[in-house]
Amino acid sequence: ATNLQLNYLLTAGASMPAIAFAVDEGGGAGEDTQALTVTAVSSNQAVVPDANITVTYTDNGAASASAVVPTIALTSLAVNGTATITITAQDDGPGTPSTNATFTVRVADIPTGGFIGWWGGDAGVTKDGGNLVSQWNDFSGTGNHVLQAAGAVQPTYTAAGINALPSLTFDGARYLQTSANVGITGDDDFSMFVVLNNSATSVFVLGGGDAFSAAQSYGYYIDGRFNTSYAGVQGTLNGTATSGQARVWATVKEPGPINSKTFNTLDGGNQGNIGGSSAVTPNITNLPFAIGRQGNWNGNKFQGTIAEVLLYSSALSTTDRQKIELYLLNRYGITGAPIISKIPDQVGLTDGVVRN
């Protein structure tokens, strides 16, 4: 089977749209008279039951042409976990009677309302033979893939990155960016989450808007501390930005002055509103979102590794924010703040990583 990605991300209880894939029966006219059957099963019934998988192929179990194009669709259960889906194409003739193809579905129980983008290092990464990444697919359903056509500034795919999981590595010259504006403008609400491990300070991590005009962009800046930046107007989180340490960084912004309406956490800890004395109200310019730099600012690009990014067009509730933080902390093996405890392992995961 061809045309299948190796990995997909899916929110808990959601359906994956039907995906067409090709099966080449081969062998010429003799093979064409044989009956071909295409089926699919899940490795984890608690995440994706077999009954929730649908293979659509009009001639299933009948004589078929040498190349056929079935589709597969599935629905996850409302849990966290990972399932490997195995597709089997089998004919009733001599020779090699069957062939298999597999792909993985990772399911996360996280909020979906207001989703702008969800980029995970283990899924939807387009890379060349040298592991340079030209596209990182958005699995939020909004289609905000981040792209980079120029090979000289493409980040590098790292198979064993943060917590030995796939991640993208940046060296201070590389970034990815959406092709379209993402809709955050003026004094809009938004929420951001990133799993990162910085290898240098005085760097911008990600963000959007016009970084050349004060308070018209938004993003993350590391200068030895963790700063939520609005283009020259910054607020500092507690905690030193030590190089070589994986962290979960989150921001929830409500309308109003940044020193009272931009709320931050680091590794799930309650850091409160950003520090400093600025009572500036943002006036963000609606522009593309970038990973590896802040908005359209081309200096001080990120150096380090990024494993996962989530962006929402709303100020998430405390419950929803903590749900995402717990999911990220556990997936990437990061010790959270004392006020947030780890949750027990769930639903038959085979790799021992808690996905919540």
Side-chain angles (χ1 to χ4, degrees):
T2 58
N3 300 342
L4 287 170
Q5 296 182 38
L6 293 177
N7 299 283
Y8 294 86
L9 303 181
L10 199 63
T11 54
S15 297
M16 188 173 77
I19 300 169
F21 60 97
V23 178
D24 188 354
E25 190 174 14
E31 291 285 330
D32 293 348
T33 63
Q34 297 167 11
L36 182 68
T37 303
V38 183
T39 57
V41 295
S42 169
S43 68
N44 194 335
Q45 300 297 304
V47 175
V48 179
D50 289 346
N52 285 17
I53 303 173
T54 302
V55 174
T56 302
Y57 165 39
T58 55
D59 294 324
N60 218 354
S64 62
S66 59
V68 297
V69 185
T71 63
I72 184 169
L74 57 83
T75 301
S76 68
L77 297 182
V79 297
N80 299 278
T82 301
T84 298
I85 310 301
T86 300
I87 302 172
T88 300
Q90 183 162 356
D91 66 28
D92 61 354
T96 303
S98 66
T99 186
N100 296 321
T102 63
F103 64 91
T104 298
V105 177
R106 176 161 65 87
V107 179
D109 185 11
I110 56 176
T112 59
F115 233 160
I116 293 177
W118 180 21
W119 303 273
D122 58 335
V125 175
T126 300
K127 55 187 175 65
D128 65 12
N131 284 326
L132 294 178
V133 176
S134 59
Q135 180 166 322
W136 196 3
N137 284 354
D138 163 30
F139 279 86
S140 72
T142 59
N144 283 317
H145 311 315
V146 286
L147 317 167
Q148 182 54 259
V153 291
Q154 291 173 345
T156 304
Y157 173 79
T158 303
I162 297 175
N163 199 30
L165 294 170
S167 308
L168 271 62
T169 299
F170 301 77
D171 65 359
R174 303 168 189 274
Y175 70 96
L176 299 161
Q177 185 168 287
T178 62
S179 60
N181 301 338
V182 295
I184 296 177
T185 186
D187 193 25
D188 283 351
D189 296 357
F190 65 84
S191 300
M192 295 189 300
F193 301 80
V194 62
V195 179
L196 80 167
N197 188 336
N198 62 294
S199 59
T201 58
S202 299
V203 291
F204 291 97
V205 181
L206 51 74
D210 182 4
F212 296 99
S213 300
Q216 293 189 15
S217 73
Y218 58 97
Y220 288 147
Y221 177 67
I222 297 174
D223 66 354
R225 302 162 298 174
F226 294 95
N227 300 280
T228 299
S229 172
Y230 291 95
V233 184
Q234 295 175 182
T236 303
L237 280 74
N238 296 330
T240 302
T242 304
S243 297
Q245 182 178 358
R247 312 300 294 260
V248 173
W249 190 351
T251 292
V252 175
K253 178 202 169 294
E254 297 176 349
I258 67 172
N259 63 349
S260 61
K261 294 297 184 180
T262 299
F263 183 86
N264 294 277
T265 66
L266 190 63
D267 299 337
N270 184 347
Q271 302 293 330
N273 297 314
I274 61 176
S277 58
S278 176
V280 171
T281 296
N283 185 24
I284 297 166
T285 304
N286 182 18
L287 288 171
F289 181 78
I291 299 175
R293 72 176 188 178
Q294 180 172 325
N296 56 11
W297 173 244
N298 213 33
N300 302 84
K301 296 186 187 74
F302 183 63
Q303 298 180 54
T305 304
I306 294 176
E308 194 153 345
V309 178
L310 300 95
L311 181 64
Y312 292 82
S313 64
S314 61
L316 296 180
S317 68
T318 298
T319 298
D320 283 346
R321 172 181 58 79
Q322 290 183 339
K323 181 179 286 190
I324 295 171
E325 288 171 332
L326 286 168
Y327 151 67
L328 294 173
L329 288 167
N330 282 285
R331 172 162 172 75
Y332 293 100
I334 298 170
T335 301
I339 63 168
I340 292 182
S341 61
K342 294 295 184 76
I343 58 173
D345 202 353
Q346 293 191 26
V347 294
L349 302 180
T350 58
D351 58 5
V353 178
V354 181
R355 303 293 176 89
N356 198 11

